[in-house]
Amino acid sequence: MSLVTSTEMFKKAYAGGYAVGAFNVNNMEIVQGITEACKEEKAPVILQVSKGARAYANHTYLVKLVEAAVIECPEIPIVLHLDHGPDFETCKSCIDGGFTSVMIDASSKPFEENIEITKKVVEYAHDHGVVVEAELGTLAGVEDDVKVDAADSSYTRPEEVEEFVAKTGCDSLAIAIGTSHGAYKFTPDQCTRNEKGILVPPPLRFDVLEEVSKRLPGFPIVLHGSSSVPQDYVKMVNEHGGKMPDAVGIPEEQLRQAATLSVCKINIDSDLRLTMTGTIRQFFDEHPDKFDPREYLKPARANIKETVRHKLRDVLGCAGKA
Ligand code: G3H
Ligand code: 13P
Ligand code: ZN
């Protein structure tokens, strides 16, 4: 099988009440960890590349790594997606350079300007057989060089979505319902604490999701900022020289619920970063004499695989859906 677009994936996910995982990739071990889990669990997958990933690893290396995964995993459909495309030129470069899906993120622009930029990307992408994700509403957190404070974030306004989708022709829509990027999604004062002293974040705005879905029946919705920030890995990081106090994510059961509704794509990056960093910190702490990168990248890759396997089976519900 060669790279595919997400069109069929989303149709099946919507009808089947599950979501496809969109995992960020930056190097070989991350690509391998994700795709080995998806192959074993027979799950469709979206491998996504940010502007920062292209700057770090180089477009060609990333495309070739993903093409290698397609060869190694012929039994599962794989999408290569641009995450948070900042402008038309970046989207065009990815469309011309082998991606099957792009996101144009003009969500920080005024409504009419967002429509205009998104429409231009959609026209070019569709002419080249590529699909487009757009965004309405602003998530808090950090993505590449854009930092959005919680005070400047805003939920998606359901009354805008029909006009936006009709005028742009986008294929899927990312909305803001209370998720945010990174490992510190909420400040402690936005949360309560459970009996173990662990932070419990405010619930996602399912009312906004339901209103959007009512207005866009059958249309695939995307959730960004959907890492759950597993506390086992936060503990591992903190016990081995790291400092991530009060890191908190989105509870898994809320993501599972969103996946049964109109959410067809769920973005996860921070949980893989945390898995990799915790594993490597522990290795260094326990083996201060080792210096062969293969020795610490191997367990890091193996743990990424297990983190992804857990997402596929227990959060996204897409295991067995390839
Ligand atoms: O949404 C942001 C993703 O986690 C990608 O992060 O821009 O640091 O590569 P990055
Ligand atoms: P997290 O930081 O929650 O993993 O979100 C990733 C994301 O939305 C990538 O676009
Ligand atoms: Zn994102």
Short mmCIF file of all heavy atoms in Angstrom, two decimals, residues 32-60:
data_model
loop_
_atom_site.label_atom_id
_atom_site.label_comp_id
_atom_site.label_asym_id
_atom_site.label_seq_id
_atom_site.Cartn_x
_atom_site.Cartn_y
_atom_site.Cartn_z
N GLN A 32 9.27 4.61 13.98
CA GLN A 32 9.23 3.15 14.17
C GLN A 32 8.34 2.74 15.34
O GLN A 32 7.55 1.80 15.23
CB GLN A 32 10.65 2.62 14.40
CG GLN A 32 11.51 2.68 13.14
CD GLN A 32 12.95 2.26 13.41
OE1 GLN A 32 13.47 2.44 14.52
NE2 GLN A 32 13.60 1.70 12.40
N GLY A 33 8.48 3.44 16.47
CA GLY A 33 7.67 3.09 17.65
C GLY A 33 6.18 3.17 17.33
O GLY A 33 5.40 2.27 17.67
N ILE A 34 5.78 4.25 16.67
CA ILE A 34 4.35 4.44 16.35
C ILE A 34 3.87 3.36 15.37
O ILE A 34 2.86 2.69 15.59
CB ILE A 34 4.11 5.83 15.70
CG1 ILE A 34 4.47 6.95 16.66
CG2 ILE A 34 2.67 5.97 15.22
CD1 ILE A 34 4.60 8.33 16.00
N THR A 35 4.61 3.20 14.27
CA THR A 35 4.09 2.33 13.21
C THR A 35 4.17 0.84 13.58
O THR A 35 3.34 0.06 13.15
CB THR A 35 4.79 2.60 11.86
OG1 THR A 35 6.20 2.53 12.04
CG2 THR A 35 4.41 3.97 11.33
N GLU A 36 5.15 0.48 14.43
CA GLU A 36 5.19 -0.92 14.88
C GLU A 36 3.95 -1.23 15.72
O GLU A 36 3.36 -2.30 15.61
CB GLU A 36 6.46 -1.20 15.68
CG GLU A 36 7.69 -1.36 14.79
CD GLU A 36 9.00 -1.44 15.58
OE1 GLU A 36 8.96 -1.68 16.81
OE2 GLU A 36 10.07 -1.24 14.96
N ALA A 37 3.55 -0.29 16.58
CA ALA A 37 2.34 -0.49 17.39
C ALA A 37 1.12 -0.59 16.48
O ALA A 37 0.26 -1.47 16.66
CB ALA A 37 2.17 0.64 18.39
N CYS A 38 1.03 0.31 15.49
CA CYS A 38 -0.15 0.33 14.61
C CYS A 38 -0.22 -0.95 13.76
O CYS A 38 -1.30 -1.49 13.53
CB CYS A 38 -0.13 1.56 13.71
SG CYS A 38 -0.36 3.08 14.66
N LYS A 39 0.93 -1.42 13.33
CA LYS A 39 0.97 -2.66 12.54
C LYS A 39 0.47 -3.83 13.39
O LYS A 39 -0.40 -4.58 12.96
CB LYS A 39 2.41 -2.90 12.08
CG LYS A 39 2.62 -4.13 11.25
CD LYS A 39 4.06 -4.20 10.79
CE LYS A 39 4.34 -5.52 10.09
NZ LYS A 39 5.56 -5.49 9.30
N GLU A 40 0.99 -3.94 14.61
CA GLU A 40 0.58 -5.07 15.47
C GLU A 40 -0.88 -4.97 15.88
O GLU A 40 -1.56 -5.97 16.02
CB GLU A 40 1.47 -5.13 16.72
CG GLU A 40 2.84 -5.67 16.39
CD GLU A 40 3.78 -5.74 17.61
OE1 GLU A 40 3.30 -5.70 18.76
OE2 GLU A 40 4.98 -5.84 17.37
N GLU A 41 -1.36 -3.74 16.06
CA GLU A 41 -2.76 -3.56 16.49
C GLU A 41 -3.71 -3.38 15.31
O GLU A 41 -4.89 -3.12 15.50
CB GLU A 41 -2.86 -2.34 17.42
CG GLU A 41 -2.12 -2.49 18.73
CD GLU A 41 -2.64 -3.63 19.59
OE1 GLU A 41 -3.86 -3.88 19.57
OE2 GLU A 41 -1.82 -4.29 20.26
N LYS A 42 -3.17 -3.47 14.09
CA LYS A 42 -3.98 -3.33 12.87
C LYS A 42 -4.80 -2.03 12.90
O LYS A 42 -6.02 -2.01 12.71
CB LYS A 42 -4.90 -4.54 12.69
CG LYS A 42 -4.13 -5.84 12.57
CD LYS A 42 -5.04 -7.00 12.27
CE LYS A 42 -4.29 -8.30 12.03
NZ LYS A 42 -3.11 -8.55 12.87
N ALA A 43 -4.10 -0.93 13.13
CA ALA A 43 -4.76 0.37 13.24
C ALA A 43 -4.32 1.31 12.12
O ALA A 43 -3.13 1.37 11.81
CB ALA A 43 -4.44 1.00 14.59
N PRO A 44 -5.26 2.07 11.56
CA PRO A 44 -4.87 3.12 10.61
C PRO A 44 -4.12 4.21 11.38
O PRO A 44 -4.32 4.34 12.59
CB PRO A 44 -6.22 3.67 10.11
CG PRO A 44 -7.19 3.36 11.21
CD PRO A 44 -6.70 2.10 11.87
N VAL A 45 -3.29 4.98 10.69
CA VAL A 45 -2.54 6.00 11.43
C VAL A 45 -2.23 7.23 10.58
O VAL A 45 -2.08 7.13 9.35
CB VAL A 45 -1.24 5.40 12.03
CG1 VAL A 45 -0.22 5.05 10.95
CG2 VAL A 45 -0.60 6.35 13.06
N ILE A 46 -2.16 8.38 11.25
CA ILE A 46 -1.72 9.62 10.62
C ILE A 46 -0.39 10.00 11.25
O ILE A 46 -0.31 10.17 12.47
CB ILE A 46 -2.77 10.74 10.84
CG1 ILE A 46 -4.10 10.34 10.19
CG2 ILE A 46 -2.26 12.08 10.29
CD1 ILE A 46 -5.28 11.21 10.55
N LEU A 47 0.65 10.10 10.42
CA LEU A 47 1.96 10.56 10.91
C LEU A 47 2.04 12.03 10.53
O LEU A 47 1.93 12.37 9.35
CB LEU A 47 3.08 9.74 10.27
CG LEU A 47 3.04 8.24 10.59
CD1 LEU A 47 4.16 7.51 9.85
CD2 LEU A 47 3.14 7.97 12.09
N GLN A 48 2.23 12.89 11.53
CA GLN A 48 2.20 14.31 11.21
C GLN A 48 3.52 14.99 11.55
O GLN A 48 4.21 14.64 12.49
CB GLN A 48 1.01 15.02 11.83
CG GLN A 48 0.85 14.89 13.32
CD GLN A 48 -0.46 15.51 13.78
OE1 GLN A 48 -1.37 15.79 12.99
NE2 GLN A 48 -0.58 15.76 15.07
N VAL A 49 3.80 15.99 10.71
CA VAL A 49 5.08 16.68 10.72
C VAL A 49 4.80 18.17 10.90
O VAL A 49 4.02 18.74 10.14
CB VAL A 49 5.79 16.41 9.37
CG1 VAL A 49 6.96 17.33 9.17
CG2 VAL A 49 6.21 14.94 9.25
N SER A 50 5.40 18.78 11.90
CA SER A 50 5.20 20.22 12.12
C SER A 50 6.27 21.01 11.37
O SER A 50 7.27 20.45 10.89
CB SER A 50 5.29 20.53 13.61
OG SER A 50 6.63 20.35 14.06
N LYS A 51 6.08 22.31 11.33
CA LYS A 51 7.11 23.20 10.77
C LYS A 51 8.43 22.99 11.53
O LYS A 51 9.51 22.93 10.94
CB LYS A 51 6.62 24.65 10.92
CG LYS A 51 7.58 25.71 10.48
CD LYS A 51 6.99 27.09 10.80
CE LYS A 51 8.06 28.15 10.87
NZ LYS A 51 7.63 29.35 11.60
N GLY A 52 8.32 22.85 12.85
CA GLY A 52 9.51 22.64 13.68
C GLY A 52 10.20 21.32 13.36
O GLY A 52 11.43 21.23 13.38
N ALA A 53 9.41 20.29 13.07
CA ALA A 53 9.98 18.98 12.72
C ALA A 53 10.74 19.07 11.39
O ALA A 53 11.82 18.50 11.24
CB ALA A 53 8.88 17.93 12.62
N ARG A 54 10.16 19.82 10.44
CA ARG A 54 10.84 20.00 9.13
C ARG A 54 12.14 20.77 9.31
O ARG A 54 13.14 20.48 8.67
CB ARG A 54 9.93 20.72 8.13
CG ARG A 54 8.76 19.85 7.66
CD ARG A 54 7.86 20.67 6.76
NE ARG A 54 8.19 20.59 5.36
CZ ARG A 54 8.20 21.63 4.53
NH1 ARG A 54 7.95 22.84 4.97
NH2 ARG A 54 8.48 21.46 3.25
N ALA A 55 12.12 21.76 10.22
CA ALA A 55 13.34 22.53 10.46
C ALA A 55 14.39 21.66 11.16
O ALA A 55 15.59 21.78 10.89
CB ALA A 55 13.02 23.74 11.32
N TYR A 56 13.93 20.75 12.03
CA TYR A 56 14.86 19.91 12.80
C TYR A 56 15.45 18.78 11.93
O TYR A 56 16.66 18.58 11.89
CB TYR A 56 14.13 19.31 14.01
CG TYR A 56 14.91 18.23 14.71
CD1 TYR A 56 16.00 18.56 15.52
CD2 TYR A 56 14.59 16.87 14.56
CE1 TYR A 56 16.73 17.58 16.16
CE2 TYR A 56 15.32 15.90 15.19
CZ TYR A 56 16.39 16.24 15.99
OH TYR A 56 17.12 15.26 16.61
N ALA A 57 14.55 18.04 11.28
CA ALA A 57 15.00 16.79 10.65
C ALA A 57 15.17 16.90 9.14
O ALA A 57 15.78 15.99 8.54
CB ALA A 57 14.01 15.67 10.97
N ASN A 58 14.60 17.92 8.52
CA ASN A 58 14.65 18.13 7.07
C ASN A 58 13.49 17.38 6.40
O ASN A 58 13.24 16.21 6.67
CB ASN A 58 16.04 17.69 6.55
CG ASN A 58 16.15 17.58 5.05
OD1 ASN A 58 15.34 16.94 4.41
ND2 ASN A 58 17.18 18.20 4.51
N HIS A 59 12.80 18.07 5.51
CA HIS A 59 11.63 17.53 4.82
C HIS A 59 11.91 16.15 4.20
O HIS A 59 11.17 15.19 4.41
CB HIS A 59 11.19 18.52 3.72
CG HIS A 59 10.06 18.03 2.87
ND1 HIS A 59 8.75 18.38 3.11
CD2 HIS A 59 10.04 17.20 1.80
CE1 HIS A 59 7.98 17.79 2.21
NE2 HIS A 59 8.74 17.07 1.40
N THR A 60 13.01 16.06 3.47
CA THR A 60 13.29 14.82 2.72
C THR A 60 13.51 13.64 3.66
O THR A 60 12.99 12.54 3.43
CB THR A 60 14.52 15.01 1.81
OG1 THR A 60 14.32 16.19 1.06
CG2 THR A 60 14.72 13.83 0.89
#
